[in-house]
PDB file of all heavy atoms in Angstrom:
ATOM      1  N   ASP G1419       8.012 -21.809  -5.471  1.00  0.00           N
ATOM      2  CA  ASP G1419       7.113 -21.114  -6.397  1.00  0.00           C
ATOM      3  C   ASP G1419       6.177 -20.175  -5.640  1.00  0.00           C
ATOM      4  O   ASP G1419       5.053 -19.951  -6.060  1.00  0.00           O
ATOM      5  CB  ASP G1419       6.296 -22.131  -7.197  1.00  0.00           C
ATOM      6  CG  ASP G1419       5.479 -23.065  -6.302  1.00  0.00           C
ATOM      7  OD1 ASP G1419       5.631 -22.969  -5.055  1.00  0.00           O
ATOM      8  OD2 ASP G1419       4.707 -23.877  -6.831  1.00  0.00           O
ATOM      9  N   PHE G1420       6.644 -19.624  -4.510  1.00  0.00           N
ATOM     10  CA  PHE G1420       5.843 -18.739  -3.648  1.00  0.00           C
ATOM     11  C   PHE G1420       4.604 -19.458  -3.109  1.00  0.00           C
ATOM     12  O   PHE G1420       3.544 -18.856  -2.938  1.00  0.00           O
ATOM     13  CB  PHE G1420       5.427 -17.459  -4.396  1.00  0.00           C
ATOM     14  CG  PHE G1420       6.534 -16.846  -5.211  1.00  0.00           C
ATOM     15  CD1 PHE G1420       6.446 -16.788  -6.602  1.00  0.00           C
ATOM     16  CD2 PHE G1420       7.660 -16.347  -4.591  1.00  0.00           C
ATOM     17  CE1 PHE G1420       7.466 -16.236  -7.357  1.00  0.00           C
ATOM     18  CE2 PHE G1420       8.701 -15.791  -5.337  1.00  0.00           C
ATOM     19  CZ  PHE G1420       8.600 -15.735  -6.733  1.00  0.00           C
ATOM     20  N   ASN G1421       4.748 -20.735  -2.909  1.00  0.00           N
ATOM     21  CA  ASN G1421       3.661 -21.573  -2.370  1.00  0.00           C
ATOM     22  C   ASN G1421       2.453 -21.640  -3.307  1.00  0.00           C
ATOM     23  O   ASN G1421       1.327 -21.867  -2.855  1.00  0.00           O
ATOM     24  CB  ASN G1421       3.209 -21.090  -0.988  1.00  0.00           C
ATOM     25  CG  ASN G1421       4.316 -21.145   0.043  1.00  0.00           C
ATOM     26  OD1 ASN G1421       5.349 -21.772  -0.165  1.00  0.00           O
ATOM     27  ND2 ASN G1421       4.104 -20.485   1.170  1.00  0.00           N
ATOM     28  N   ALA G1422       2.694 -21.437  -4.597  1.00  0.00           N
ATOM     29  CA  ALA G1422       1.582 -21.432  -5.557  1.00  0.00           C
ATOM     30  C   ALA G1422       0.907 -22.800  -5.664  1.00  0.00           C
ATOM     31  O   ALA G1422      -0.316 -22.892  -5.819  1.00  0.00           O
ATOM     32  CB  ALA G1422       2.083 -20.987  -6.929  1.00  0.00           C
ATOM     33  N   LYS G1423       1.666 -23.870  -5.555  1.00  0.00           N
ATOM     34  CA  LYS G1423       1.105 -25.203  -5.733  1.00  0.00           C
ATOM     35  C   LYS G1423       1.076 -26.007  -4.439  1.00  0.00           C
ATOM     36  O   LYS G1423       0.621 -27.146  -4.431  1.00  0.00           O
ATOM     37  CB  LYS G1423       1.909 -25.968  -6.790  1.00  0.00           C
ATOM     38  CG  LYS G1423       1.862 -25.327  -8.170  1.00  0.00           C
ATOM     39  CD  LYS G1423       2.700 -26.124  -9.162  1.00  0.00           C
ATOM     40  CE  LYS G1423       2.665 -25.484 -10.543  1.00  0.00           C
ATOM     41  NZ  LYS G1423       3.500 -26.240 -11.527  1.00  0.00           N
ATOM     42  N   HIS G1424       1.590 -25.418  -3.369  1.00  0.00           N
ATOM     43  CA  HIS G1424       1.624 -26.130  -2.088  1.00  0.00           C
ATOM     44  C   HIS G1424       1.198 -25.193  -0.970  1.00  0.00           C
ATOM     45  O   HIS G1424       1.416 -23.985  -1.038  1.00  0.00           O
ATOM     46  CB  HIS G1424       3.032 -26.666  -1.796  1.00  0.00           C
ATOM     47  CG  HIS G1424       3.590 -27.542  -2.864  1.00  0.00           C
ATOM     48  ND1 HIS G1424       4.242 -27.047  -3.986  1.00  0.00           N
ATOM     49  CD2 HIS G1424       3.586 -28.903  -3.001  1.00  0.00           C
ATOM     50  CE1 HIS G1424       4.625 -28.045  -4.745  1.00  0.00           C
ATOM     51  NE2 HIS G1424       4.240 -29.184  -4.177  1.00  0.00           N
ATOM     52  N   ASN G1425       0.601 -25.742   0.047  1.00  0.00           N
ATOM     53  CA  ASN G1425       0.171 -24.951   1.197  1.00  0.00           C
ATOM     54  C   ASN G1425       1.317 -24.888   2.203  1.00  0.00           C
ATOM     55  O   ASN G1425       1.365 -25.649   3.166  1.00  0.00           O
ATOM     56  CB  ASN G1425      -1.079 -25.572   1.831  1.00  0.00           C
ATOM     57  CG  ASN G1425      -1.600 -24.718   2.971  1.00  0.00           C
ATOM     58  OD1 ASN G1425      -1.348 -23.508   3.007  1.00  0.00           O
ATOM     59  ND2 ASN G1425      -2.314 -25.325   3.901  1.00  0.00           N
ATOM     60  N   GLY G1426       2.248 -23.971   1.972  1.00  0.00           N
ATOM     61  CA  GLY G1426       3.399 -23.857   2.845  1.00  0.00           C
ATOM     62  C   GLY G1426       3.346 -22.597   3.684  1.00  0.00           C
ATOM     63  O   GLY G1426       2.475 -21.747   3.521  1.00  0.00           O
ATOM     64  N   TRP G1427       4.292 -22.452   4.604  1.00  0.00           N
ATOM     65  CA  TRP G1427       4.363 -21.247   5.441  1.00  0.00           C
ATOM     66  C   TRP G1427       4.978 -20.100   4.637  1.00  0.00           C
ATOM     67  O   TRP G1427       5.681 -20.320   3.640  1.00  0.00           O
ATOM     68  CB  TRP G1427       5.189 -21.516   6.702  1.00  0.00           C
ATOM     69  CG  TRP G1427       6.615 -21.903   6.432  1.00  0.00           C
ATOM     70  CD1 TRP G1427       7.128 -23.168   6.392  1.00  0.00           C
ATOM     71  CD2 TRP G1427       7.704 -21.016   6.142  1.00  0.00           C
ATOM     72  NE1 TRP G1427       8.475 -23.124   6.085  1.00  0.00           N
ATOM     73  CE2 TRP G1427       8.856 -21.819   5.947  1.00  0.00           C
ATOM     74  CE3 TRP G1427       7.827 -19.645   6.038  1.00  0.00           C
ATOM     75  CZ2 TRP G1427      10.096 -21.278   5.629  1.00  0.00           C
ATOM     76  CZ3 TRP G1427       9.061 -19.092   5.725  1.00  0.00           C
ATOM     77  CH2 TRP G1427      10.179 -19.909   5.535  1.00  0.00           C
ATOM     78  N   SER G1428       4.700 -18.883   5.083  1.00  0.00           N
ATOM     79  CA  SER G1428       5.356 -17.693   4.532  1.00  0.00           C
ATOM     80  C   SER G1428       5.434 -16.662   5.649  1.00  0.00           C
ATOM     81  O   SER G1428       4.682 -16.722   6.628  1.00  0.00           O
ATOM     82  CB  SER G1428       4.593 -17.140   3.326  1.00  0.00           C
ATOM     83  OG  SER G1428       3.312 -16.670   3.706  1.00  0.00           O
ATOM     84  N   ALA G1429       6.342 -15.724   5.530  1.00  0.00           N
ATOM     85  CA  ALA G1429       6.511 -14.702   6.559  1.00  0.00           C
ATOM     86  C   ALA G1429       7.055 -13.430   5.919  1.00  0.00           C
ATOM     87  O   ALA G1429       7.894 -13.495   5.018  1.00  0.00           O
ATOM     88  CB  ALA G1429       7.448 -15.183   7.660  1.00  0.00           C
ATOM     89  N   THR G1430       6.576 -12.290   6.390  1.00  0.00           N
ATOM     90  CA  THR G1430       6.973 -10.994   5.842  1.00  0.00           C
ATOM     91  C   THR G1430       7.784 -10.222   6.880  1.00  0.00           C
ATOM     92  O   THR G1430       7.405 -10.156   8.048  1.00  0.00           O
ATOM     93  CB  THR G1430       5.734 -10.176   5.424  1.00  0.00           C
ATOM     94  OG1 THR G1430       5.030 -10.886   4.401  1.00  0.00           O
ATOM     95  CG2 THR G1430       6.133  -8.804   4.891  1.00  0.00           C
ATOM     96  N   PHE G1431       8.877  -9.616   6.420  1.00  0.00           N
ATOM     97  CA  PHE G1431       9.793  -8.899   7.300  1.00  0.00           C
ATOM     98  C   PHE G1431       9.993  -7.469   6.809  1.00  0.00           C
ATOM     99  O   PHE G1431      10.225  -7.243   5.624  1.00  0.00           O
ATOM    100  CB  PHE G1431      11.140  -9.612   7.360  1.00  0.00           C
ATOM    101  CG  PHE G1431      11.077 -10.975   7.978  1.00  0.00           C
ATOM    102  CD1 PHE G1431      10.744 -12.080   7.215  1.00  0.00           C
ATOM    103  CD2 PHE G1431      11.319 -11.149   9.334  1.00  0.00           C
ATOM    104  CE1 PHE G1431      10.669 -13.351   7.783  1.00  0.00           C
ATOM    105  CE2 PHE G1431      11.238 -12.406   9.915  1.00  0.00           C
ATOM    106  CZ  PHE G1431      10.914 -13.501   9.142  1.00  0.00           C
ATOM    107  N   GLY G1432       9.906  -6.524   7.740  1.00  0.00           N
ATOM    108  CA  GLY G1432      10.203  -5.135   7.448  1.00  0.00           C
ATOM    109  C   GLY G1432      11.673  -4.861   7.627  1.00  0.00           C
ATOM    110  O   GLY G1432      12.479  -5.770   7.844  1.00  0.00           O
ATOM    111  N   PRO G1433      12.089  -3.582   7.550  1.00  0.00           N
ATOM    112  CA  PRO G1433      13.511  -3.262   7.686  1.00  0.00           C
ATOM    113  C   PRO G1433      14.062  -3.688   9.034  1.00  0.00           C
ATOM    114  O   PRO G1433      13.437  -3.464  10.070  1.00  0.00           O
ATOM    115  CB  PRO G1433      13.542  -1.726   7.519  1.00  0.00           C
ATOM    116  CG  PRO G1433      12.143  -1.279   7.820  1.00  0.00           C
ATOM    117  CD  PRO G1433      11.264  -2.378   7.362  1.00  0.00           C
ATOM    118  N   GLY G1434      15.205  -4.312   9.025  1.00  0.00           N
ATOM    119  CA  GLY G1434      15.808  -4.768  10.268  1.00  0.00           C
ATOM    120  C   GLY G1434      16.817  -5.865  10.022  1.00  0.00           C
ATOM    121  O   GLY G1434      17.093  -6.255   8.879  1.00  0.00           O
ATOM    122  N   MET G1435      17.380  -6.370  11.110  1.00  0.00           N
ATOM    123  CA  MET G1435      18.375  -7.431  11.072  1.00  0.00           C
ATOM    124  C   MET G1435      17.795  -8.653  11.777  1.00  0.00           C
ATOM    125  O   MET G1435      17.408  -8.579  12.939  1.00  0.00           O
ATOM    126  CB  MET G1435      19.666  -6.972  11.752  1.00  0.00           C
ATOM    127  CG  MET G1435      20.280  -5.741  11.115  1.00  0.00           C
ATOM    128  SD  MET G1435      21.655  -5.057  12.099  1.00  0.00           S
ATOM    129  CE  MET G1435      22.785  -6.447  12.101  1.00  0.00           C
ATOM    130  N   TYR G1436      17.737  -9.775  11.089  1.00  0.00           N
ATOM    131  CA  TYR G1436      17.103 -10.970  11.620  1.00  0.00           C
ATOM    132  C   TYR G1436      18.100 -12.128  11.627  1.00  0.00           C
ATOM    133  O   TYR G1436      18.404 -12.693  10.577  1.00  0.00           O
ATOM    134  CB  TYR G1436      15.872 -11.328  10.787  1.00  0.00           C
ATOM    135  CG  TYR G1436      14.886 -10.182  10.662  1.00  0.00           C
ATOM    136  CD1 TYR G1436      14.967  -9.293   9.590  1.00  0.00           C
ATOM    137  CD2 TYR G1436      13.921  -9.970  11.627  1.00  0.00           C
ATOM    138  CE1 TYR G1436      14.085  -8.223   9.491  1.00  0.00           C
ATOM    139  CE2 TYR G1436      13.045  -8.905  11.541  1.00  0.00           C
ATOM    140  CZ  TYR G1436      13.135  -8.034  10.469  1.00  0.00           C
ATOM    141  OH  TYR G1436      12.281  -6.974  10.375  1.00  0.00           O
TER     142      TYR G1436
END
Side-chain angles (χ1 to χ4, degrees):
D1419 58 355
F1420 316 115
N1421 299 346
K1423 297 179 180 179
H1424 304 85
N1425 184 24
W1427 61 263
S1428 65
T1430 298
F1431 295 85
M1435 301 171 61
Y1436 306 92

